């Protein structure tokens, strides 16, 4: 079995590669990644010498490069993690998100049609559903919830999902889609909430929180997500969408306070900044479908996962310290420096 994993040098993609090489040591895993700012080759250090692993630097929008790789590897399965994924960046420069998340998806599926595959899997997001009110804890996203996007990022992901389903209906391409809640865990890029707060707290820097920090997210430990995708690509029904949620709803401000307490830092570091445009209030997924059909349930409670994650960042400064210099530092200043 040969699996092409796009975006495999990023956060979730790299964790998925680690999972697959451990669970299926006989599989060949090929990582295709453009190595944008969020893709980090050092993330893949521990598997680079594995005889069943190959890394290829290329853009999923580059049709010639993608077709060449398909000819060389003849993949059985393609799992597409490659995406621009940060909402704030999508508000700054929407076009990049449309190009990678929509056009790149189309190129990959065209390659799948041309060279033949057993499964194309699209990794999507619960953000395609929009948001839920804070005062209705009884409401959850299901696979039948209408798409109702809030940002250029979520719009580009919803567009890609619709495109994937159209290739199934029109061309009979064997596809599946998973829509996950917010992931957290090792190798999470420092612009995201949890690693950003951990790293800033360690340096006794301000902890920038949007609005009053009351926005709620459903947090999913990345290893639980990888298990879900594993089950879907092997046993999921073709043409279906599966929601993958953690049953771990937490407000942003409560997460920041947990991080402060764990690291022994004062809550006075918390700095409230002007809210994000179109900021979604609450995400919450009902994962009943994947549980009933494939037997999946999240195994990691947030109380355990957040401690494991903080510990990882404490022990892996050599991974994140080089990242927070240069381009990222300039971006950080642009996003948060003038919004207090």
């Amino acid at each position: 079995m040969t699996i092409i994993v796009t975006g495999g040098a990023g956060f979730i993609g790299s964790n998925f590669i680690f999972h697959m090489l451990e669970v299926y040591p006989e599989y060949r895993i090929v990582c295709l990644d453009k190595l944008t700012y969020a893709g980090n080759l050092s993330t893949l250090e521990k598997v680079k010498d594995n005889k069943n692993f190959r890394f290829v630097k290329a853009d999923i929008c580059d049709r010639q490069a993608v077709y060449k790789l398909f000819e060389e590897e003849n993949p059985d399965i393609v799992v597409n993690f490659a995406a621009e994924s940060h909402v704030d960046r999508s508000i700054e420069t929407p076009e990049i998100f449309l190009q990678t998340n929509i056009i790149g998806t189309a190129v990959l599926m065209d390659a799948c049609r041309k060279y033949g595959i057993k499964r194309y899997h699209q990794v999507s997001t619960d953000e395609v559903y929009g948001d839920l009110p804070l005062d209705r804890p009884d409401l959850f996203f299901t696979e039948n919830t209408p798409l109702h996007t809030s940002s250029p990022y979520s719009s580009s992901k919803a567009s890609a999902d619709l495109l994937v389903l159209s290739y199934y209906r029109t061309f009979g391409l064997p596809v599946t889609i998973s829509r996950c809640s917010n992931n957290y865990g090792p190798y999470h890029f420092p612009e995201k909430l949890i690693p950003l707060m951990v790293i800033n707290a360690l340096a006794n820097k301000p902890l920038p929180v949007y609005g009053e920090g009351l926005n709620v997210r459903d947090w999913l430990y990345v290893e639980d997500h990888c298990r879900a995708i594993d089950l879907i690509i092997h046993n999921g029904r073709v043409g279906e969408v599966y929601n993958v949620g953690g049953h771990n709803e937490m407000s942003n401000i409560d997460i920041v306070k947990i991080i402060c307490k764990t690291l022994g830092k004062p809550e006075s570091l918390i700095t409230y900044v002007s809210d994000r445009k179109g900021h979604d209030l609450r995400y919450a997924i009902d994962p009943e479908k994947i549980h009933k059909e494939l037997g999946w349930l999240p195994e990691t409670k947030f109380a355990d996962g957040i401690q494991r994650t903080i510990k990882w960042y404490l022990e892996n400064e050599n991974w994140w310290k080089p990242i927070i210099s240069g381009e990222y530092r300039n971006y950080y200043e642009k996003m948060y420096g003038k919004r207090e």
Side-chain angles (χ1 to χ4, degrees):
M1 181 81 78
T2 297
I3 301 178
I4 290 179
V5 178
T6 68
F11 167 43
I12 309 175
S14 62
N15 277 281
F16 180 71
I17 288 173
F18 303 150
H19 168 85
M20 295 301 287
L21 287 172
E22 181 178 345
V23 178
Y24 307 98
E26 73 281 9
Y27 281 17
R28 177 168 173 78
I29 305 296
V30 181
C31 173
L32 171 64
D33 200 296
K34 185 182 178 181
L35 294 181
T36 60
Y37 76 96
N40 193 335
L41 207 50
S42 68
T43 301
L44 298 168
E45 184 70 25
K46 69 181 183 181
V47 298
K48 68 182 178 76
D49 295 325
N50 188 309
K51 62 181 177 59
N52 285 333
F53 174 74
R54 177 191 177 193
F55 176 82
V56 176
K57 185 179 184 298
D59 185 346
I60 60 171
C61 297
D62 185 341
R63 191 174 295 271
Q64 184 177 355
V66 170
Y67 282 17
K68 179 174 182 289
L69 180 61
F70 273 67
E71 288 178 2
E72 292 171 354
E73 294 291 347
N74 190 28
D76 299 284
I77 296 173
V78 174
V79 182
N80 181 27
F81 291 94
E84 296 287 346
S85 67
H86 197 263
V87 175
D88 287 333
R89 287 180 184 265
S90 80
I91 293 170
E92 289 291 312
T93 50
E95 185 177 345
I96 298 171
F97 286 70
L98 308 184
Q99 183 70 24
T100 298
N101 298 356
I102 303 173
I103 302 302
T105 297
V107 169
L108 288 173
M109 290 193 297
D110 285 343
C112 290
R113 288 183 58 218
K114 180 178 175 66
Y115 296 100
I117 48 122
K118 296 176 181 175
R119 180 67 59 92
Y120 172 87
H121 183 74
Q122 178 76 4
V123 180
S124 188
T125 170
D126 59 356
E127 295 190 39
V128 300
Y129 298 124
D131 63 351
L132 298 166
L134 292 174
D135 60 356
R136 288 292 306 275
D138 57 311
L139 295 180
F140 295 88
F141 296 139
T142 73
E143 289 80 2
N144 296 319
T145 300
L147 304 186
H148 188 68
T149 59
S150 304
S151 68
Y153 161 63
S154 57
S155 296
S156 68
K157 293 297 287 186
S159 300
D161 286 4
L162 293 173
L163 192 63
V164 170
L165 293 174
S166 77
Y167 270 62
Y168 167 64
R169 177 162 180 168
T170 303
F171 304 115
L173 190 70
V175 307
T176 43
I177 297 172
S178 58
R179 292 174 179 152
C180 68
S181 54
N182 282 40
N183 280 222
Y184 69 105
Y187 299 105
H188 206 176
F189 193 74
E191 72 185 352
K192 305 293 186 173
L193 176 70
I194 291 175
L196 174 63
M197 297 303 155
V198 171
I199 291 169
N200 277 20
L202 288 173
N204 295 308
K205 291 182 177 179
L207 307 179
V209 174
Y210 283 132
E212 297 178 28
L214 300 179
N215 306 71
V216 171
R217 300 294 181 258
D218 175 17
W219 291 91
L220 175 67
Y221 194 64
V222 66
E223 291 178 8
D224 288 339
H225 186 196
C226 294
R227 286 191 303 104
I229 296 173
D230 178 358
L231 285 168
I232 294 169
I233 63 176
H234 286 101
N235 303 312
R237 288 186 291 142
V238 169
E240 292 293 318
V241 175
Y242 293 91
N243 282 352
V244 186
H247 278 313
N248 284 306
E249 287 187 55
M250 296 285 296
S251 70
N252 290 347
I253 190 62
D254 285 344
I255 289 176
V256 177
K257 288 180 178 178
I258 288 171
I259 291 170
C260 287
K261 183 177 180 181
T262 300
L263 296 176
K265 300 295 183 177
E267 291 184 7
S268 58
L269 288 174
I270 297 172
T271 304
Y272 296 95
V273 300
S274 58
D275 210 350
R276 168 192 289 162
K277 296 175 182 177
H279 201 172
D280 288 337
L281 294 175
R282 173 176 170 253
Y283 302 148
I285 275 184
D286 179 359
E288 182 179 7
K289 179 177 177 178
I290 190 173
H291 173 56
K292 282 188 172 180
E293 291 192 15
L294 304 178
W296 179 89
L297 279 175
E299 295 179 357
T300 310
K301 294 179 180 178
F302 187 80
D304 299 327
I306 188 66
Q307 296 303 322
R308 202 181 306 169
T309 301
I310 293 171
K311 184 173 185 287
W312 187 88
Y313 279 91
L314 289 172
E315 295 176 350
N316 289 274
E317 289 187 1
N318 61 324
W319 180 81
W320 55 261
K321 276 195 170 179
I323 295 173
I324 62 174
S325 60
E327 180 191 347
Y328 174 68
R329 185 180 297 163
N330 295 335
Y331 162 78
Y332 176 88
E333 182 61 29
K334 183 178 182 180
M335 282 295 102
Y336 300 110
K338 299 175 182 178
R339 296 178 68 156
E340 297 180 15

